[in-house]
PDB file of all heavy atoms in Angstrom:
ATOM      1  N   SER A  20     -30.641  39.583  42.986  1.00  0.00           N
ATOM      2  CA  SER A  20     -30.191  40.157  41.703  1.00  0.00           C
ATOM      3  C   SER A  20     -30.842  41.388  41.492  1.00  0.00           C
ATOM      4  O   SER A  20     -30.337  42.382  40.812  1.00  0.00           O
ATOM      5  CB  SER A  20     -30.419  39.132  40.618  1.00  0.00           C
ATOM      6  OG  SER A  20     -31.768  39.056  40.282  1.00  0.00           O
ATOM      7  N   LEU A  21     -32.131  41.486  41.972  1.00  0.00           N
ATOM      8  CA  LEU A  21     -32.885  42.724  41.853  1.00  0.00           C
ATOM      9  C   LEU A  21     -32.308  43.845  42.638  1.00  0.00           C
ATOM     10  O   LEU A  21     -32.218  44.989  42.223  1.00  0.00           O
ATOM     11  CB  LEU A  21     -34.411  42.492  42.309  1.00  0.00           C
ATOM     12  CG  LEU A  21     -35.438  43.496  41.868  1.00  0.00           C
ATOM     13  CD1 LEU A  21     -35.436  43.480  40.249  1.00  0.00           C
ATOM     14  CD2 LEU A  21     -36.808  42.995  42.358  1.00  0.00           C
ATOM     15  N   VAL A  22     -31.743  43.483  43.765  1.00  0.00           N
ATOM     16  CA  VAL A  22     -31.150  44.480  44.680  1.00  0.00           C
ATOM     17  C   VAL A  22     -29.872  45.076  43.854  1.00  0.00           C
ATOM     18  O   VAL A  22     -29.735  46.358  43.835  1.00  0.00           O
ATOM     19  CB  VAL A  22     -30.712  43.885  45.991  1.00  0.00           C
ATOM     20  CG1 VAL A  22     -29.763  44.808  46.780  1.00  0.00           C
ATOM     21  CG2 VAL A  22     -31.833  43.484  46.863  1.00  0.00           C
ATOM     22  N   VAL A  23     -29.091  44.151  43.323  1.00  0.00           N
ATOM     23  CA  VAL A  23     -27.802  44.570  42.633  1.00  0.00           C
ATOM     24  C   VAL A  23     -28.246  45.426  41.433  1.00  0.00           C
ATOM     25  O   VAL A  23     -27.654  46.500  41.186  1.00  0.00           O
ATOM     26  CB  VAL A  23     -27.012  43.361  42.266  1.00  0.00           C
ATOM     27  CG1 VAL A  23     -25.884  43.615  41.319  1.00  0.00           C
ATOM     28  CG2 VAL A  23     -26.619  42.588  43.426  1.00  0.00           C
ATOM     29  N   LYS A  24     -29.294  44.974  40.720  1.00  0.00           N
ATOM     30  CA  LYS A  24     -29.719  45.771  39.422  1.00  0.00           C
ATOM     31  C   LYS A  24     -30.202  47.146  39.880  1.00  0.00           C
ATOM     32  O   LYS A  24     -30.032  48.096  39.077  1.00  0.00           O
ATOM     33  CB  LYS A  24     -30.707  44.948  38.609  1.00  0.00           C
ATOM     34  CG  LYS A  24     -30.107  43.845  37.845  1.00  0.00           C
ATOM     35  CD  LYS A  24     -31.060  43.109  36.905  1.00  0.00           C
ATOM     36  CE  LYS A  24     -32.174  42.360  37.620  1.00  0.00           C
ATOM     37  NZ  LYS A  24     -33.005  41.574  36.689  1.00  0.00           N
ATOM     38  N   ASP A  25     -30.845  47.189  41.036  1.00  0.00           N
ATOM     39  CA  ASP A  25     -31.418  48.461  41.410  1.00  0.00           C
ATOM     40  C   ASP A  25     -30.249  49.367  41.871  1.00  0.00           C
ATOM     41  O   ASP A  25     -30.329  50.647  41.774  1.00  0.00           O
ATOM     42  CB  ASP A  25     -32.383  48.253  42.626  1.00  0.00           C
ATOM     43  CG  ASP A  25     -33.770  47.910  42.002  1.00  0.00           C
ATOM     44  OD1 ASP A  25     -34.113  48.181  40.891  1.00  0.00           O
ATOM     45  OD2 ASP A  25     -34.540  47.211  42.828  1.00  0.00           O
ATOM     46  N   GLU A  26     -29.098  48.848  42.435  1.00  0.00           N
ATOM     47  CA  GLU A  26     -27.970  49.579  42.702  1.00  0.00           C
ATOM     48  C   GLU A  26     -27.435  50.173  41.450  1.00  0.00           C
ATOM     49  O   GLU A  26     -27.082  51.349  41.440  1.00  0.00           O
ATOM     50  CB  GLU A  26     -26.854  48.737  43.321  1.00  0.00           C
ATOM     51  CG  GLU A  26     -27.083  48.327  44.817  1.00  0.00           C
ATOM     52  CD  GLU A  26     -26.153  47.255  45.328  1.00  0.00           C
ATOM     53  OE1 GLU A  26     -25.134  46.906  44.620  1.00  0.00           O
ATOM     54  OE2 GLU A  26     -26.440  46.696  46.393  1.00  0.00           O
ATOM     55  N   VAL A  27     -27.490  49.462  40.424  1.00  0.00           N
ATOM     56  CA  VAL A  27     -26.880  49.908  39.110  1.00  0.00           C
ATOM     57  C   VAL A  27     -27.870  50.946  38.631  1.00  0.00           C
ATOM     58  O   VAL A  27     -27.506  52.029  38.065  1.00  0.00           O
ATOM     59  CB  VAL A  27     -26.643  48.747  38.130  1.00  0.00           C
ATOM     60  CG1 VAL A  27     -26.386  49.314  36.723  1.00  0.00           C
ATOM     61  CG2 VAL A  27     -25.642  47.827  38.618  1.00  0.00           C
ATOM     62  N   LYS A  28     -29.221  50.655  38.605  1.00  0.00           N
ATOM     63  CA  LYS A  28     -30.163  51.692  38.178  1.00  0.00           C
ATOM     64  C   LYS A  28     -30.068  52.992  38.838  1.00  0.00           C
ATOM     65  O   LYS A  28     -30.293  54.003  38.184  1.00  0.00           O
ATOM     66  CB  LYS A  28     -31.623  50.996  38.461  1.00  0.00           C
ATOM     67  CG  LYS A  28     -32.758  51.733  37.796  1.00  0.00           C
ATOM     68  CD  LYS A  28     -33.994  50.898  38.028  1.00  0.00           C
ATOM     69  CE  LYS A  28     -35.195  51.651  37.435  1.00  0.00           C
ATOM     70  NZ  LYS A  28     -36.480  50.891  37.483  1.00  0.00           N
ATOM     71  N   ALA A  29     -29.707  53.048  40.103  1.00  0.00           N
ATOM     72  CA  ALA A  29     -29.578  54.176  40.820  1.00  0.00           C
ATOM     73  C   ALA A  29     -28.345  55.086  40.287  1.00  0.00           C
ATOM     74  O   ALA A  29     -28.361  56.259  40.464  1.00  0.00           O
ATOM     75  CB  ALA A  29     -29.637  54.030  42.288  1.00  0.00           C
ATOM     76  N   GLU A  30     -27.412  54.250  39.994  1.00  0.00           N
ATOM     77  CA  GLU A  30     -26.020  54.890  39.637  1.00  0.00           C
ATOM     78  C   GLU A  30     -26.052  55.432  38.174  1.00  0.00           C
ATOM     79  O   GLU A  30     -25.279  56.392  37.886  1.00  0.00           O
ATOM     80  CB  GLU A  30     -24.960  53.828  39.711  1.00  0.00           C
ATOM     81  CG  GLU A  30     -23.578  54.374  40.082  1.00  0.00           C
ATOM     82  CD  GLU A  30     -22.556  53.434  40.334  1.00  0.00           C
ATOM     83  OE1 GLU A  30     -22.894  52.234  40.513  1.00  0.00           O
ATOM     84  OE2 GLU A  30     -21.290  53.883  40.360  1.00  0.00           O
ATOM     85  N   VAL A  31     -26.833  54.857  37.352  1.00  0.00           N
ATOM     86  CA  VAL A  31     -26.769  55.243  35.883  1.00  0.00           C
ATOM     87  C   VAL A  31     -26.999  56.770  35.650  1.00  0.00           C
ATOM     88  O   VAL A  31     -26.236  57.426  34.973  1.00  0.00           O
ATOM     89  CB  VAL A  31     -27.781  54.444  35.007  1.00  0.00           C
ATOM     90  CG1 VAL A  31     -27.933  54.981  33.619  1.00  0.00           C
ATOM     91  CG2 VAL A  31     -27.131  52.947  34.855  1.00  0.00           C
ATOM     92  N   PRO A  32     -28.098  57.396  36.248  1.00  0.00           N
ATOM     93  CA  PRO A  32     -28.349  58.702  36.035  1.00  0.00           C
ATOM     94  C   PRO A  32     -27.317  59.597  36.667  1.00  0.00           C
ATOM     95  O   PRO A  32     -26.809  60.628  36.128  1.00  0.00           O
ATOM     96  CB  PRO A  32     -29.742  59.086  36.725  1.00  0.00           C
ATOM     97  CG  PRO A  32     -30.079  57.772  37.438  1.00  0.00           C
ATOM     98  CD  PRO A  32     -29.170  56.650  36.911  1.00  0.00           C
ATOM     99  N   VAL A  33     -26.576  59.100  37.803  1.00  0.00           N
ATOM    100  CA  VAL A  33     -25.471  59.959  38.362  1.00  0.00           C
ATOM    101  C   VAL A  33     -24.386  59.947  37.420  1.00  0.00           C
ATOM    102  O   VAL A  33     -23.661  61.040  37.151  1.00  0.00           O
ATOM    103  CB  VAL A  33     -25.191  59.228  39.800  1.00  0.00           C
ATOM    104  CG1 VAL A  33     -23.986  60.028  40.357  1.00  0.00           C
ATOM    105  CG2 VAL A  33     -26.318  59.163  40.691  1.00  0.00           C
ATOM    106  N   LEU A  34     -23.944  58.863  36.836  1.00  0.00           N
ATOM    107  CA  LEU A  34     -22.954  58.748  35.905  1.00  0.00           C
ATOM    108  C   LEU A  34     -23.186  59.558  34.717  1.00  0.00           C
ATOM    109  O   LEU A  34     -22.258  60.286  34.169  1.00  0.00           O
ATOM    110  CB  LEU A  34     -22.657  57.290  35.505  1.00  0.00           C
ATOM    111  CG  LEU A  34     -22.110  56.342  36.634  1.00  0.00           C
ATOM    112  CD1 LEU A  34     -22.094  54.832  36.263  1.00  0.00           C
ATOM    113  CD2 LEU A  34     -20.797  56.777  37.030  1.00  0.00           C
TER     114      LEU A  34
END
Side-chain angles (χ1 to χ4, degrees):
S20 75
L21 199 58
V22 172
V23 174
K24 284 189 289 186
D25 281 335
E26 288 170 7
V27 173
K28 188 177 180 173
E30 203 174 352
V31 167
V33 178
L34 292 171

